């Protein structure tokens, strides 16, 4: 048995791929929905640390749904790009980027690209003056700090970190939007084989530039949702809130973006900080 082998889908004839993907998408949606229910129980019980773990896991599983839906939006014409997209599903960083970028309301594809690039950086400066301290990648740090007790070193100072720190402050912020967005798309019928075919058909021939406006995506989403409804693919459990969430936050496809890590050294950041200090004088 070979785990994490989604790339094997590319060995199937093209006409069978959406069927295989739809099977996995249905299983993912069921898993995300179950975890969301468990999260609600933990929130009610004020079990913030357990809630953080479940929300993080459910968010990553939900992000897998968005990654696979982007495969449909890409189509099968560019095999190297599709292969890269499919393989990215195992990356915690990529899943975390997907979970974060959908929370905004970007006006253009360029905004999405710039935000995604900021989430790819291995280290960055932040603080009251934006340069005070060096932090590790925000996606990876947030994930691991909710899961593990760890002994860390930051700018020469070592100390213990625990998931107990700050989890109570986030208790009311869950579930993360990516969870509800993907469940909404599932109830709309996007995760079915016919739904994937409709998505691919509506995105066929479309290309994205940094200047591409949100209205382009909004128009395509509307066409997809209308066709899903006309085909009887929408769930009886679909709500007006689901439709609104999907319309507003199923943003630009990320399949054409480079989402690998951007290496940033401490020396680079220290030089940036020293330049900022020099500019103040």
């Amino acid at each position: 048995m070979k785990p994490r082998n989604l790339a094997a889908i590319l060995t199937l004839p093209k006409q069978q791929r959406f069927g295989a993907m739809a099977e996995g998408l249905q299983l993912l949606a069921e898993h995300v929905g179950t975890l969301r229910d468990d999260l609600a129980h933990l929130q009610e019980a004020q079990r913030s640390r357990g809630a953080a773990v479940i929300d993080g896991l459910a968010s990553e599983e939900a992000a897998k749904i968005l990654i696979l839906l982007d495969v449909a939006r890409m189509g099968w014409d560019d095999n190297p790009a599709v292969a890269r997209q499919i393989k990215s599903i195992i990356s915690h960083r990529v899943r975390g980027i997907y979970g974060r970028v959908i929370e905004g309301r970007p006006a253009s594809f360029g905004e999405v690209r710039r935000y995604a690039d900021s989430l790819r950086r291995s280290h960055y400066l932040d603080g009251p003056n934006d340069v005070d301290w060096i932090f590790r990648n925000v996606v990876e740090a947030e994930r691991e700090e909710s899961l593990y007790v760890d002994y860390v070193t930051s700018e020469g100072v070592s100390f213990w970190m625990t998931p107990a720190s700050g989890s109570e402050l986030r208790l009311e912020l869950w579930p993360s939007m990516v969870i509800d967005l993907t469940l909404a798309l599932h109830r709309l019928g996007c995760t079915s084989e016919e739904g994937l075919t409709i998505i691919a058909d509506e995105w066929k021939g479309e290309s994205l530039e940094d200047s591409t406006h949100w209205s382009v995506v909004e128009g395509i989403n509307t066409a997809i949702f209308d066709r899903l409804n006309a085909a009887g693919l929408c769930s009886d459990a679909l709500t007006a809130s689901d439709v609104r969430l999907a319309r507003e936050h199923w943003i630009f496809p990320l399949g054409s973006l480079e989402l690998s890590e951007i290496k940033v050294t401490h020396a680079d950041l220290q030089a940036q900080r020293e330049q900022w200090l020099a500019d103040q004088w």
Side-chain angles (χ1 to χ4, degrees):
M1 180 180 290
K2 185 177 181 181
R4 294 178 292 280
N5 192 35
L6 186 62
I9 281 181
L10 294 176
T11 66
L12 298 174
K14 289 182 180 180
Q15 64 270 24
Q16 296 179 19
R17 293 177 186 176
F18 281 156
M21 282 175 52
E23 181 181 359
L25 285 165
Q26 301 290 317
L27 294 173
L28 281 166
E30 187 279 332
H31 189 39
V32 171
T34 298
L35 292 174
R36 191 196 188 287
D37 291 341
D38 293 343
L39 172 60
H41 290 303
L42 288 167
Q43 286 177 291
E44 291 172 7
Q46 297 292 298
R47 304 291 293 182
S48 60
R49 257 182 279 181
V53 172
I54 295 300
D55 183 79
L57 176 57
S59 294
E60 288 205 33
E61 291 294 272
K64 290 181 183 179
I65 295 175
L66 295 182
I67 291 169
L68 289 176
L69 291 179
D70 270 2
V71 172
R73 296 204 278 186
M74 295 170 72
W76 302 112
D77 294 336
D78 188 342
N79 280 335
V82 172
R84 184 184 69 175
Q85 177 71 6
I86 287 177
K87 291 176 181 177
S88 75
I89 203 168
I90 67 173
S91 168
H92 294 300
R93 181 188 59 255
V94 171
R95 297 197 297 250
I97 290 173
Y98 263 86
R100 283 172 174 261
V101 297
I102 56 91
E103 294 177 350
R105 299 285 294 276
S108 69
F109 187 55
E111 287 186 21
V112 176
R113 182 191 301 277
R114 289 188 289 274
Y115 183 40
D117 282 347
S118 74
L119 298 174
R120 295 168 56 203
R121 295 167 62 85
S122 63
H123 297 85
Y124 66 100
L125 291 172
D126 204 356
N129 298 303
D130 297 328
V131 297
D132 304 81
W133 304 296
I134 295 175
F135 295 89
R136 61 179 295 208
N137 178 271
V138 64
V139 173
E140 295 176 356
E142 184 174 291
R143 176 184 180 273
E144 293 183 10
E145 289 168 10
S146 71
L147 293 175
Y148 310 120
V149 173
D150 193 15
Y151 193 63
V152 302
T153 300
S154 177
E155 301 197 64
V157 179
S158 299
F159 53 94
W160 284 99
M161 292 192 67
T162 169
S165 303
S167 60
E168 290 82 0
L169 301 177
R170 300 193 299 272
L171 192 60
E172 302 303 322
L173 300 178
W174 300 314
S176 295
M177 182 182 288
V178 66
I179 296 171
D180 284 341
L181 172 61
T182 53
L183 292 176
L185 292 170
H186 172 61
R187 288 190 284 266
L188 276 159
C190 293
T191 57
S192 64
E193 181 176 0
E194 188 175 349
L196 293 172
T197 301
I198 289 171
I199 291 168
D201 184 49
E202 290 296 330
W203 275 97
K204 189 174 180 60
E206 295 288 339
S207 61
L208 297 174
E209 306 293 339
D210 278 0
S211 59
T212 303
H213 193 267
W214 162 248
S215 59
V216 173
V217 180
E218 185 177 37
I220 295 173
N221 283 351
T222 298
I224 290 171
F225 300 156
D226 287 346
R227 288 183 62 182
L228 292 171
N229 183 50
L233 297 174
C234 298
S235 166
D236 291 340
L238 183 69
T239 67
S241 295
D242 288 334
V243 176
R244 182 170 60 252
L245 183 62
R247 286 186 186 280
E248 295 178 358
H249 290 281
W250 193 23
I251 63 165
F252 299 84
L254 306 187
S256 63
L257 295 183
E258 177 57 65
L259 298 181
S260 62
E261 182 182 63
I262 298 174
K263 287 287 188 182
V264 181
T265 68
H266 281 60
D268 292 336
L269 294 175
Q270 183 61 33
Q272 182 181 332
R273 180 161 54 192
E274 290 173 356
Q275 182 61 55
W276 182 90
L277 291 170
D279 292 342
Q280 304 312 300
W281 296 97

